[in-house]
Amino acid sequence: MKIINDERCVNYRQPGHPERPTRISRTLERLRGQAELPITWAKPLPADETSILRAHSAGMVARLGEAHNFDADTPYLPEIGEHARRSVGSALAALESARAGEKVFSLMRPPGHHATREQSMGFCYLNSVAIAALEALATGTKRVAVYDFDVHHGNGTEAILLDVPGAAFFSIHQFPCYPGTGAADVGNNCFNFPVAPRTPAKQYRTIFSKALEGLKRFKPDLVAVSAGFDAYARDPLAQGTLEAEDFFWLGETLRELGVPLFSLLEGGYSRDLPELVLAYVKGVAGK
Ligand SMILES: [Zn+2]
């Protein structure tokens, strides 16, 4: 299993904010301190403007350098644009690794799936998964699917990939919940699977499987996964019921698709995030 990370991603914080540096630093510690799953480490690629501007407007990208908050959840912080670019670069490196046949996970912050073409929001500044999906299509991939299992709807990814030829978006998320979208399918390629708060894990898995059936029918050449771990039973931000074994199962089930696959960290705010990431990547690796 290859893990992509740049440790500078822990160098920004807003006191009291759930999207905090320890999400990554404690996960790094956990992954480095275990021997069951062999890991190779790699760094992000540079994220060039051409790639970013496929998904975002020039005005939105310029706004990253303006020192005022994006919304109540999404503060302006010094060098936040650079942090967001490194997170994008990590997704691009993960894309390259997946194409080379490697099992790969991008372990970076900030997350990305709420950022729309015009707006940073919901802890997200640039939409790394959408940028990587559009990069894939621009560089030879015919059909790319994004599978988003973060507990929140990937509204930004949906808005960016909406009706893009060759792309499809599958989101499984709690509804009602932030950001309030995702109740039904949108356009001809965005498929939403709302899950009621406190839905038992067994039923949640059935909905994951239903979304995967749709993904299989799309016949993607490449799958990008927005891996959020906030549907966990003890996550403070939503009312999910999943346990580590469910994330292992998700990783395993995605691996069994037999399609080149890369995953990147979105949400996950509990203290147990390191265990959940480890369980998922073990599933992806087939360990
Ligand atoms: Zn989330």
Short mmCIF file of all heavy atoms in Angstrom, two decimals, residues 65-106:
data_model
loop_
_atom_site.label_atom_id
_atom_site.label_comp_id
_atom_site.label_asym_id
_atom_site.label_seq_id
_atom_site.Cartn_x
_atom_site.Cartn_y
_atom_site.Cartn_z
N GLY A 65 -6.26 33.55 -1.82
CA GLY A 65 -5.21 34.41 -1.26
C GLY A 65 -5.74 35.65 -0.55
O GLY A 65 -4.96 36.46 -0.07
N GLU A 66 -7.05 35.79 -0.48
CA GLU A 66 -7.63 36.97 0.18
C GLU A 66 -7.96 36.66 1.63
O GLU A 66 -8.67 35.69 1.90
CB GLU A 66 -8.89 37.42 -0.57
CG GLU A 66 -8.59 37.96 -1.95
CD GLU A 66 -9.86 38.19 -2.77
OE1 GLU A 66 -10.94 38.36 -2.17
OE2 GLU A 66 -9.74 38.17 -4.01
N ALA A 67 -7.45 37.52 2.52
CA ALA A 67 -7.49 37.21 3.95
C ALA A 67 -8.83 37.49 4.62
O ALA A 67 -8.92 38.29 5.54
CB ALA A 67 -6.35 37.95 4.65
N HIS A 68 -9.88 36.85 4.13
CA HIS A 68 -11.13 36.83 4.91
C HIS A 68 -11.82 35.47 4.75
O HIS A 68 -11.58 34.77 3.75
CB HIS A 68 -12.05 38.01 4.59
CG HIS A 68 -12.19 38.34 3.13
ND1 HIS A 68 -13.32 38.06 2.41
CD2 HIS A 68 -11.32 38.91 2.26
CE1 HIS A 68 -13.14 38.46 1.17
NE2 HIS A 68 -11.94 38.96 1.04
N ASN A 69 -12.65 35.13 5.74
CA ASN A 69 -13.21 33.77 5.80
C ASN A 69 -14.12 33.45 4.62
O ASN A 69 -14.75 34.35 4.06
CB ASN A 69 -13.96 33.57 7.12
CG ASN A 69 -13.02 33.61 8.31
OD1 ASN A 69 -11.81 33.44 8.16
ND2 ASN A 69 -13.56 33.85 9.49
N PHE A 70 -14.19 32.17 4.28
CA PHE A 70 -14.99 31.73 3.14
C PHE A 70 -16.44 31.48 3.55
O PHE A 70 -17.36 31.81 2.83
CB PHE A 70 -14.36 30.48 2.52
CG PHE A 70 -12.95 30.76 2.05
CD1 PHE A 70 -11.86 30.58 2.90
CD2 PHE A 70 -12.73 31.25 0.78
CE1 PHE A 70 -10.57 30.88 2.47
CE2 PHE A 70 -11.45 31.55 0.35
CZ PHE A 70 -10.36 31.37 1.20
N ASP A 71 -16.61 30.88 4.71
CA ASP A 71 -17.93 30.80 5.36
C ASP A 71 -17.67 30.50 6.83
O ASP A 71 -16.52 30.45 7.26
CB ASP A 71 -18.88 29.79 4.67
CG ASP A 71 -18.46 28.34 4.80
OD1 ASP A 71 -17.62 28.01 5.69
OD2 ASP A 71 -18.95 27.51 4.02
N ALA A 72 -18.74 30.30 7.60
CA ALA A 72 -18.59 30.15 9.05
C ALA A 72 -17.71 28.94 9.40
O ALA A 72 -17.04 28.94 10.43
CB ALA A 72 -19.96 30.01 9.69
N ASP A 73 -17.71 27.91 8.55
CA ASP A 73 -16.94 26.67 8.82
C ASP A 73 -15.57 26.67 8.18
O ASP A 73 -14.79 25.76 8.40
CB ASP A 73 -17.65 25.46 8.18
CG ASP A 73 -19.03 25.21 8.74
OD1 ASP A 73 -19.20 25.40 9.95
OD2 ASP A 73 -19.91 24.83 7.94
N THR A 74 -15.33 27.62 7.30
CA THR A 74 -14.18 27.53 6.40
C THR A 74 -13.36 28.81 6.50
O THR A 74 -13.54 29.74 5.71
CB THR A 74 -14.68 27.28 4.95
OG1 THR A 74 -15.74 26.32 4.98
CG2 THR A 74 -13.56 26.78 4.05
N PRO A 75 -12.46 28.83 7.49
CA PRO A 75 -11.73 30.07 7.74
C PRO A 75 -10.63 30.33 6.71
O PRO A 75 -10.07 29.39 6.15
CB PRO A 75 -11.10 29.82 9.12
CG PRO A 75 -10.96 28.33 9.21
CD PRO A 75 -12.12 27.75 8.42
N TYR A 76 -10.34 31.60 6.50
CA TYR A 76 -9.09 31.94 5.83
C TYR A 76 -7.98 31.74 6.86
O TYR A 76 -8.09 32.16 8.00
CB TYR A 76 -9.07 33.41 5.35
CG TYR A 76 -7.68 33.76 4.85
CD1 TYR A 76 -7.31 33.42 3.54
CD2 TYR A 76 -6.73 34.33 5.70
CE1 TYR A 76 -6.02 33.64 3.10
CE2 TYR A 76 -5.43 34.55 5.26
CZ TYR A 76 -5.08 34.21 3.96
OH TYR A 76 -3.81 34.42 3.53
N LEU A 77 -6.90 31.08 6.45
CA LEU A 77 -5.74 30.90 7.32
C LEU A 77 -4.50 31.16 6.46
O LEU A 77 -4.53 30.97 5.24
CB LEU A 77 -5.70 29.47 7.86
CG LEU A 77 -6.86 29.12 8.81
CD1 LEU A 77 -7.04 27.62 8.95
CD2 LEU A 77 -6.65 29.77 10.18
N PRO A 78 -3.41 31.61 7.08
CA PRO A 78 -2.21 31.91 6.29
C PRO A 78 -1.78 30.71 5.44
O PRO A 78 -1.76 29.58 5.93
CB PRO A 78 -1.15 32.23 7.36
CG PRO A 78 -1.94 32.68 8.55
CD PRO A 78 -3.22 31.90 8.50
N GLU A 79 -1.49 30.96 4.18
CA GLU A 79 -1.03 29.93 3.23
C GLU A 79 -2.04 28.82 2.98
O GLU A 79 -1.67 27.73 2.52
CB GLU A 79 0.30 29.33 3.69
CG GLU A 79 1.43 30.35 3.61
CD GLU A 79 2.76 29.79 4.11
OE1 GLU A 79 3.04 28.62 3.88
OE2 GLU A 79 3.49 30.57 4.74
N ILE A 80 -3.32 29.08 3.23
CA ILE A 80 -4.31 28.02 3.03
C ILE A 80 -4.35 27.59 1.56
O ILE A 80 -4.58 26.41 1.26
CB ILE A 80 -5.71 28.43 3.57
CG1 ILE A 80 -6.60 27.20 3.66
CG2 ILE A 80 -6.36 29.53 2.74
CD1 ILE A 80 -6.16 26.15 4.63
N GLY A 81 -4.11 28.53 0.65
CA GLY A 81 -4.09 28.18 -0.77
C GLY A 81 -3.00 27.17 -1.08
O GLY A 81 -3.21 26.22 -1.85
N GLU A 82 -1.83 27.34 -0.45
CA GLU A 82 -0.72 26.39 -0.66
C GLU A 82 -1.07 25.02 -0.07
O GLU A 82 -0.76 23.98 -0.66
CB GLU A 82 0.58 26.93 -0.03
CG GLU A 82 1.16 28.12 -0.77
CD GLU A 82 1.14 27.91 -2.29
OE1 GLU A 82 1.74 26.92 -2.76
OE2 GLU A 82 0.48 28.70 -2.99
N HIS A 83 -1.69 25.03 1.09
CA HIS A 83 -2.11 23.75 1.69
C HIS A 83 -3.10 23.03 0.78
O HIS A 83 -3.00 21.83 0.54
CB HIS A 83 -2.73 23.98 3.07
CG HIS A 83 -1.73 24.39 4.10
ND1 HIS A 83 -0.75 23.54 4.54
CD2 HIS A 83 -1.55 25.56 4.76
CE1 HIS A 83 0.00 24.17 5.45
NE2 HIS A 83 -0.46 25.39 5.60
N ALA A 84 -4.07 23.80 0.27
CA ALA A 84 -5.08 23.18 -0.61
C ALA A 84 -4.41 22.65 -1.88
O ALA A 84 -4.77 21.56 -2.36
CB ALA A 84 -6.15 24.21 -0.95
N ARG A 85 -3.45 23.38 -2.42
CA ARG A 85 -2.75 22.92 -3.63
C ARG A 85 -1.97 21.63 -3.38
O ARG A 85 -1.90 20.75 -4.24
CB ARG A 85 -1.81 24.00 -4.15
CG ARG A 85 -2.51 25.09 -4.93
CD ARG A 85 -1.52 26.11 -5.46
NE ARG A 85 -2.20 27.11 -6.27
CZ ARG A 85 -2.85 28.17 -5.80
NH1 ARG A 85 -2.90 28.39 -4.49
NH2 ARG A 85 -3.44 29.01 -6.62
N ARG A 86 -1.37 21.50 -2.20
CA ARG A 86 -0.64 20.26 -1.91
C ARG A 86 -1.60 19.08 -1.78
O ARG A 86 -1.26 17.95 -2.17
CB ARG A 86 0.19 20.42 -0.63
CG ARG A 86 1.49 21.17 -0.88
CD ARG A 86 2.45 21.04 0.30
NE ARG A 86 2.05 21.91 1.39
CZ ARG A 86 2.48 23.17 1.54
NH1 ARG A 86 3.33 23.70 0.68
NH2 ARG A 86 2.09 23.88 2.57
N SER A 87 -2.78 19.36 -1.24
CA SER A 87 -3.78 18.29 -1.13
C SER A 87 -4.22 17.85 -2.54
O SER A 87 -4.36 16.65 -2.81
CB SER A 87 -4.98 18.83 -0.32
OG SER A 87 -5.64 17.81 0.34
N VAL A 88 -4.38 18.81 -3.43
CA VAL A 88 -4.68 18.50 -4.84
C VAL A 88 -3.54 17.69 -5.45
O VAL A 88 -3.75 16.66 -6.12
CB VAL A 88 -4.91 19.79 -5.66
CG1 VAL A 88 -4.96 19.48 -7.15
CG2 VAL A 88 -6.17 20.51 -5.20
N GLY A 89 -2.30 18.13 -5.20
CA GLY A 89 -1.12 17.46 -5.75
C GLY A 89 -1.02 16.02 -5.27
O GLY A 89 -0.55 15.13 -6.00
N SER A 90 -1.49 15.78 -4.07
CA SER A 90 -1.48 14.43 -3.52
C SER A 90 -2.52 13.55 -4.25
O SER A 90 -2.26 12.39 -4.57
CB SER A 90 -1.77 14.49 -2.03
OG SER A 90 -1.60 13.24 -1.43
N ALA A 91 -3.67 14.15 -4.55
CA ALA A 91 -4.69 13.42 -5.32
C ALA A 91 -4.16 13.10 -6.72
O ALA A 91 -4.40 12.01 -7.25
CB ALA A 91 -5.97 14.23 -5.40
N LEU A 92 -3.43 14.03 -7.31
CA LEU A 92 -2.87 13.80 -8.66
C LEU A 92 -1.80 12.71 -8.62
O LEU A 92 -1.70 11.88 -9.54
CB LEU A 92 -2.31 15.10 -9.23
CG LEU A 92 -3.36 16.20 -9.50
CD1 LEU A 92 -2.68 17.49 -9.94
CD2 LEU A 92 -4.39 15.74 -10.53
N ALA A 93 -1.01 12.69 -7.56
CA ALA A 93 -0.02 11.62 -7.40
C ALA A 93 -0.71 10.27 -7.22
O ALA A 93 -0.27 9.25 -7.75
CB ALA A 93 0.89 11.92 -6.20
N ALA A 94 -1.83 10.30 -6.49
CA ALA A 94 -2.58 9.06 -6.28
C ALA A 94 -3.16 8.55 -7.61
O ALA A 94 -3.15 7.35 -7.88
CB ALA A 94 -3.71 9.28 -5.27
N LEU A 95 -3.64 9.47 -8.41
CA LEU A 95 -4.14 9.11 -9.74
C LEU A 95 -3.05 8.41 -10.56
O LEU A 95 -3.28 7.35 -11.15
CB LEU A 95 -4.63 10.38 -10.45
CG LEU A 95 -4.78 10.34 -11.98
CD1 LEU A 95 -5.86 9.35 -12.39
CD2 LEU A 95 -5.11 11.74 -12.52
N GLU A 96 -1.87 9.00 -10.54
CA GLU A 96 -0.75 8.42 -11.30
C GLU A 96 -0.41 7.02 -10.79
O GLU A 96 -0.20 6.10 -11.58
CB GLU A 96 0.47 9.34 -11.19
CG GLU A 96 1.43 9.17 -12.32
CD GLU A 96 2.30 10.40 -12.50
OE1 GLU A 96 1.89 11.32 -13.25
OE2 GLU A 96 3.38 10.43 -11.88
N SER A 97 -0.39 6.86 -9.48
CA SER A 97 -0.08 5.55 -8.89
C SER A 97 -1.14 4.51 -9.26
O SER A 97 -0.81 3.36 -9.58
CB SER A 97 -0.03 5.64 -7.36
OG SER A 97 1.01 6.50 -6.97
N ALA A 98 -2.41 4.93 -9.23
CA ALA A 98 -3.49 3.99 -9.57
C ALA A 98 -3.32 3.52 -11.01
O ALA A 98 -3.49 2.34 -11.32
CB ALA A 98 -4.85 4.65 -9.38
N ARG A 99 -2.97 4.46 -11.88
CA ARG A 99 -2.76 4.09 -13.29
C ARG A 99 -1.59 3.13 -13.46
O ARG A 99 -1.57 2.33 -14.40
CB ARG A 99 -2.50 5.35 -14.10
CG ARG A 99 -3.79 6.07 -14.43
CD ARG A 99 -3.47 7.38 -15.08
NE ARG A 99 -4.58 7.85 -15.89
CZ ARG A 99 -4.63 9.07 -16.42
NH1 ARG A 99 -3.65 9.93 -16.22
NH2 ARG A 99 -5.65 9.43 -17.15
N ALA A 100 -0.62 3.21 -12.54
CA ALA A 100 0.53 2.30 -12.59
C ALA A 100 0.21 0.97 -11.90
O ALA A 100 1.10 0.13 -11.73
CB ALA A 100 1.74 2.96 -11.95
N GLY A 101 -1.03 0.80 -11.49
CA GLY A 101 -1.45 -0.48 -10.90
C GLY A 101 -1.20 -0.59 -9.41
O GLY A 101 -1.30 -1.68 -8.85
N GLU A 102 -0.89 0.54 -8.74
CA GLU A 102 -0.60 0.47 -7.31
C GLU A 102 -1.86 0.68 -6.49
O GLU A 102 -2.80 1.33 -6.92
CB GLU A 102 0.44 1.55 -6.96
CG GLU A 102 1.77 1.30 -7.62
CD GLU A 102 2.76 2.44 -7.39
OE1 GLU A 102 2.41 3.62 -7.59
OE2 GLU A 102 3.89 2.14 -7.02
N LYS A 103 -1.84 0.15 -5.27
CA LYS A 103 -2.87 0.44 -4.27
C LYS A 103 -2.42 1.71 -3.56
O LYS A 103 -1.29 1.76 -3.06
CB LYS A 103 -2.98 -0.68 -3.25
CG LYS A 103 -3.00 -2.07 -3.84
CD LYS A 103 -4.39 -2.47 -4.20
CE LYS A 103 -4.44 -3.95 -4.55
NZ LYS A 103 -5.30 -4.24 -5.68
N VAL A 104 -3.30 2.70 -3.48
CA VAL A 104 -2.81 4.00 -3.02
C VAL A 104 -3.88 4.77 -2.26
O VAL A 104 -5.07 4.69 -2.58
CB VAL A 104 -2.28 4.81 -4.23
CG1 VAL A 104 -3.36 5.04 -5.28
CG2 VAL A 104 -1.64 6.13 -3.81
N PHE A 105 -3.41 5.53 -1.26
CA PHE A 105 -4.31 6.37 -0.45
C PHE A 105 -3.62 7.71 -0.22
O PHE A 105 -2.45 7.76 0.17
CB PHE A 105 -4.58 5.68 0.90
CG PHE A 105 -5.59 6.39 1.76
CD1 PHE A 105 -6.95 6.09 1.64
CD2 PHE A 105 -5.21 7.36 2.67
CE1 PHE A 105 -7.89 6.75 2.43
CE2 PHE A 105 -6.15 8.02 3.47
CZ PHE A 105 -7.50 7.70 3.35
N SER A 106 -4.34 8.79 -0.49
CA SER A 106 -3.82 10.13 -0.23
C SER A 106 -4.26 10.58 1.16
O SER A 106 -5.45 10.78 1.41
CB SER A 106 -4.35 11.10 -1.29
OG SER A 106 -4.13 12.44 -0.86
#
